[in-house]
Amino acid sequence: GQNIDQPTEMTATEGAIVQINCTYQTSGFNGLFWYQQHAGEAPTFLSYNVLDGLEEKGRFSSFLSRSKGYSYLLLKELQMKDSASYLCAVLDSNYQLIWGAGTKLIIKP
Amino acid sequence: GAVVSQHPSWVICKSGTSVKIECRSLDFQATTMFWYRQFPKQSLMLMATSNEGSKATYEQGVEKDKFLINHASLTLSTLTVTSAHPEDSSFYICSVRRGLADNNEQFFGPGTRLTVL
């Protein structure tokens, strides 16, 4: 079956750095997405990786290793507004988006 | 600006009534739209894939006669929850996906919160 694993919840301190990991097992691979979702709102796009390596976009970076079925989202200089759920999703060989359960990130002052 | 809009943003209805949710792609024509449902503290669950001009493709376990999908144009898809019951109360989100040339980016509507009394 298809499976995406990410931690359920993480806690970090304002101003610090946090890394949210995601491992996947899917039928085929056409890219991996990271989305941010605040409570009661729809997800918003953060990043898309289809090749191995690190993609940096401001305070957020996303890394992919296809051979390991692994990705991480790195958030730097954490702000209180970064408190949200972070969803990892993989586009499989049929271009279906397979979603992880999300990681709830709690930022403490 | 917003790429996808949904209407209404929230709705409260009595058990047994039907509710229609509209999803509009504002930025580009979408031959395919996706309908998701999300229960509190759970991840998104794909309900169906809406295809313009043809029948929607439903995920396993989703009743097609209960959740009617109409994708009448390249910018509009509607989801009708028929004979709604309290267990249908959820957050319904539609999305559209750009093509390969645009990194397959998937845009989400703001969601519709349905409460069935």
Side-chain angles (χ1 to χ4, degrees):
Chain A
Q2 309 208 86
N3 194 49
I4 296 186
D5 287 317
Q6 50 181 132
T8 305
E9 186 173 297
M10 297 181 71
T11 303
T13 305
E14 190 177 15
I17 299 173
V18 71
Q19 177 174 313
I20 303 174
N21 295 324
C22 170
T23 58
Y24 63 89
Q25 289 177 308
T26 56
S27 55
F29 179 84
N30 279 301
L32 184 144
F33 296 83
W34 283 97
Y35 282 84
Q36 179 191 61
Q37 186 177 25
H38 285 100
E41 298 180 13
T44 54
F45 172 83
L46 289 178
S47 67
Y48 172 71
N49 294 66
V50 66
L51 299 176
D52 291 347
L54 186 69
E55 295 272 348
E56 296 185 73
K57 194 184 290 185
R59 293 189 298 116
F60 294 2
S61 302
S62 57
F63 171 83
L64 174 68
S65 169
R66 288 172 294 172
S67 62
K68 295 181 180 179
Y70 167 70
S71 172
Y72 68 72
L73 179 69
L74 190 72
L75 293 77
K76 302 176 184 176
E77 301 169 19
L78 286 170
Q79 301 175 10
M80 297 303 293
K81 66 178 182 179
D82 297 330
S83 293
S85 286
Y86 291 85
L87 307 174
C88 172
V90 172
L91 207 56
D92 71 8
S93 57
N94 294 319
Y95 288 92
Q96 295 276 16
L97 204 54
I98 312 299
W99 292 89
T103 298
K104 183 178 180 181
L105 178 63
I106 299 168
I107 310 296
K108 295 186 175 179
Chain B
V3 177
V4 183
S5 70
Q6 262 184 259
H7 178 80
S9 54
W10 59 269
V11 58
I12 301 173
C13 69
K14 292 183 179 180
S15 185
T17 59
S18 294
V19 175
K20 180 188 282 189
I21 303 170
E22 291 186 351
C23 175
R24 292 184 185 276
S25 175
L26 305 176
D27 218 27
F28 56 93
Q29 294 181 329
T31 54
T32 303
M33 292 185 179
F34 304 91
W35 285 98
Y36 290 87
R37 179 167 55 181
Q38 186 176 36
F39 293 105
K41 299 184 180 181
Q42 294 186 24
S43 190
L44 296 167
M45 186 188 79
L46 180 65
M47 298 175 67
T49 302
S50 170
N51 304 298
E52 189 267 337
S54 65
K55 292 182 179 180
T57 304
Y58 289 82
E59 296 300 301
Q60 194 171 9
V62 178
E63 300 173 58
K64 61 180 181 181
D65 295 329
K66 180 171 181 62
F67 299 98
L68 301 178
I69 291 174
N70 186 342
H71 194 152
S73 77
L74 289 172
T75 58
L76 174 64
S77 175
T78 61
L79 168 68
T80 301
V81 183
T82 62
S83 187
H85 288 96
E87 58 265 31
D88 297 323
S89 297
S90 187
F91 193 43
Y92 291 85
I93 311 172
C94 74
S95 78
V96 300
R97 183 186 297 163
R98 286 193 186 272
L100 285 171
D102 296 291
N103 289 336
N104 291 306
E105 186 173 344
Q106 190 154 332
F107 297 91
F108 289 86
T112 298
R113 188 162 300 283
L114 171 64
T115 302
V116 184
L117 301 176

